[in-house]
Amino acid sequence: IFRFFFSLCMCIAFTQPIRANDDKEKLLENLASELLPWVSKTTGYKTEGVRVTVILLEQRVINMLVYRERFLNQTDAKSASVGNAVFLPTWFSPETDGYMLVHELVHVLQSASDKKFPCEKEKEYEAYQVQDKYIIMTGIGEKTTFLFKAQYKCRPLHDDE
């Protein structure tokens, strides 16, 4: 855990002017507050006491947070969350990327709950399921494929899931 937080601090320390996005972060925190009840209703998690903080970072820094020292060859992590903090890329736009915020809000609520999962991959599967519901509801984003989601199950997956 110390290594993770040290990496996080180093990432933030070496990014471009970190508070330059303060206004945008506040707007995104307001959006997160508006989306949280829908995510709660969709997942069954409670939102009481949950206050989301949004931090905008360069995507390469988000990849470093997700993959740690293995990040050099990884470029696919677009967003991440730790506790109540959601890390979104500086290029994030609610009009085209809202599904990413919804995905991370699922993780925020998972973190705040005491729900037990059979394996860590199941948390990701649930987040993709909710993300897909948001995409269907809003038309923002592209649904994940059956095969993509299958990698996040602890047990074999069937087409009807």
Side-chain angles (χ1 to χ4, degrees):
I1 291 179
F2 171 77
R3 226 166 109 188
F4 171 77
F5 285 108
F6 177 75
S7 296
L8 174 63
C9 291
M10 294 306 292
C11 290
I12 292 173
F14 291 108
T15 57
Q16 297 173 0
I18 205 69
R19 300 320 311 158
N21 291 311
D22 211 19
D23 290 340
K24 187 175 179 183
E25 288 171 347
K26 292 297 176 212
L27 289 172
L28 293 174
E29 286 174 2
N30 289 339
L31 177 60
S33 295
E34 292 171 14
L35 289 170
L36 212 52
W38 180 84
V39 174
S40 173
K41 182 179 178 186
T42 304
T43 60
Y45 296 120
K46 300 201 180 322
T47 60
E48 186 175 320
V50 175
R51 186 179 179 283
V52 177
T53 300
V54 175
I55 301 169
L56 295 171
L57 296 172
E58 295 292 327
Q59 188 172 348
R60 64 186 167 81
V61 177
I62 293 171
N63 276 276
M64 185 178 211
L65 290 173
V66 172
Y67 296 108
R68 294 172 183 80
E69 63 275 358
R70 300 180 313 270
F71 87 100
L72 292 174
N73 297 323
Q74 303 293 334
T75 58
D76 61 335
K78 294 179 183 173
S79 59
S81 61
V82 176
N84 288 358
V86 172
F87 302 96
L88 296 172
T90 53
W91 48 260
F92 179 89
S93 168
E95 293 80 21
T96 56
D97 309 310
Y99 65 93
M100 291 172 21
L101 178 56
V102 167
H103 181 103
E104 296 308 331
L105 290 175
V106 173
H107 291 312
V108 166
L109 293 181
Q110 288 170 338
S111 175
S113 82
D114 57 0
K115 181 178 178 183
K116 303 290 184 234
F117 290 85
C119 70
E120 285 297 307
K121 294 190 301 184
E122 291 282 336
K123 291 180 179 180
E124 208 56 48
Y125 181 80
E126 181 180 45
Y128 280 114
Q129 288 290 87
V130 175
Q131 171 184 315
D132 283 350
K133 288 179 182 179
Y134 176 82
I135 289 169
I136 291 167
M137 181 179 78
T138 64
I140 297 173
E142 190 173 312
K143 279 184 60 182
T144 53
T145 65
F146 169 79
L147 289 176
F148 179 80
K149 284 190 288 197
Q151 69 183 320
Y152 294 109
K153 290 298 281 180
C154 300
R155 59 182 173 73
L157 189 64
H158 304 287
D159 278 334
D160 58 345
E161 292 186 64

